[in-house]
């Protein structure tokens, strides 16, 4: 249904109709690289998650994925990177941040070494964030920022989010 074989973004309404006909309640994108049609983003506001391999808002946006992200992090001299679980918006990597997990950038790191450490943390963080969303454990602050109490409490146990 979408994206179309001709590569256009047309068909978003058909995608939304298909999703609604199947009673889709939550959408989980694991590093999805295309913009989701705006009608789908609106219909699944606060119910669609994606994961990015850097601490957003840094190192995000169109074209920033995979090795490109890790190369940019290492080249920048940043001291930390790590996965970000965020809600999907109509712009690349601009949705509200649900959770992050800090990963140190070590002296002598290569993009591949950093990527492997970030991926391990992504595998820890993403399923927990998805489970929290599916279980209704995501709360929204007055400033429209989401929080998950259980993940936030993990900070005190030495886990950086």
């Amino acid at each position: 249904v979408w994206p179309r074989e001709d590569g256009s973004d047309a068909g978003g309404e058909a995608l939304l109709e298909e999703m609604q006909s199947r009673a889709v309640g939550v959408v989980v994108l694991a590093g999805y690289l295309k913009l989701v049609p705006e009608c789908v983003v609106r219909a699944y506001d606060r119910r669609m998650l994606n994961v990015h391999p850097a601490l957003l808002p840094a190192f995000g946006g169109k074209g920033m994925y995979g090795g490109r992200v890790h190369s940019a992090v290492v080249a920048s001299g940043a001291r930390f990177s790590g996965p970000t679980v965020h809600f999907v918006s109509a712009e690349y990597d601009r949705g509200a941040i649900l959770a992050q997990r800090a990963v140190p950038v070590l002296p002598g790191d290569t993009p591949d070494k950093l990527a492997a450490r970030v991926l391990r943390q992504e595998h820890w963080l993403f399923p927990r964030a998805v489970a929290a969303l599916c279980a209704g454990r995501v709360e929204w602050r007055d400033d429209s920022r989401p929080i998950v109490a259980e993940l936030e409490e993990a900070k005190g146990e030495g886990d950086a989010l």
Side-chain angles (χ1 to χ4, degrees):
V1 174
W2 189 87
R4 292 173 39 139
E5 289 183 25
D6 66 6
S8 75
D9 285 344
E13 292 292 339
L15 173 63
L16 178 57
E17 288 175 19
E18 181 69 21
M19 293 169 72
Q20 290 173 333
S21 75
R22 296 174 182 270
V24 173
V26 172
V27 178
V28 178
L29 307 171
Y32 190 70
L33 300 177
K34 295 182 180 280
L35 286 178
V36 176
E38 197 164 334
C39 62
V40 176
V41 171
R42 279 193 312 270
Y44 287 89
D45 183 45
R46 296 185 174 187
R47 296 185 296 143
M48 187 177 342
L49 290 178
N50 199 3
V51 64
H52 183 77
L55 297 174
L56 292 176
F59 308 106
K62 186 173 182 170
M64 290 301 287
Y65 59 88
R68 294 176 181 185
V69 170
H70 304 298
S71 293
V73 169
V74 170
S76 78
R79 296 200 172 196
F80 292 94
S81 189
T84 298
V85 178
H86 63 94
F87 286 89
V88 175
S89 70
E91 299 176 65
Y92 288 107
D93 301 326
R94 301 295 291 174
I97 294 169
L98 178 59
Q100 296 179 309
R101 195 157 167 98
V103 174
V105 179
L106 303 175
D109 253 348
T110 65
D112 288 341
K113 288 179 182 177
L114 178 60
R117 289 198 317 280
V118 168
L119 185 61
R120 280 193 300 275
Q121 297 307 313
E122 183 179 315
H123 288 171
W124 182 93
L125 184 63
F126 198 43
R128 286 166 174 80
V130 170
L133 179 63
C134 291
R137 294 193 324 263
V138 174
E139 298 175 12
W140 291 84
R141 298 185 337 193
D142 291 340
D143 61 0
S144 297
R145 293 186 183 182
I147 58 169
V148 179
E150 295 82 14
L151 292 179
E152 292 297 322
E153 290 169 8
K155 284 184 181 178
E157 299 169 13
D159 293 325
L161 298 178

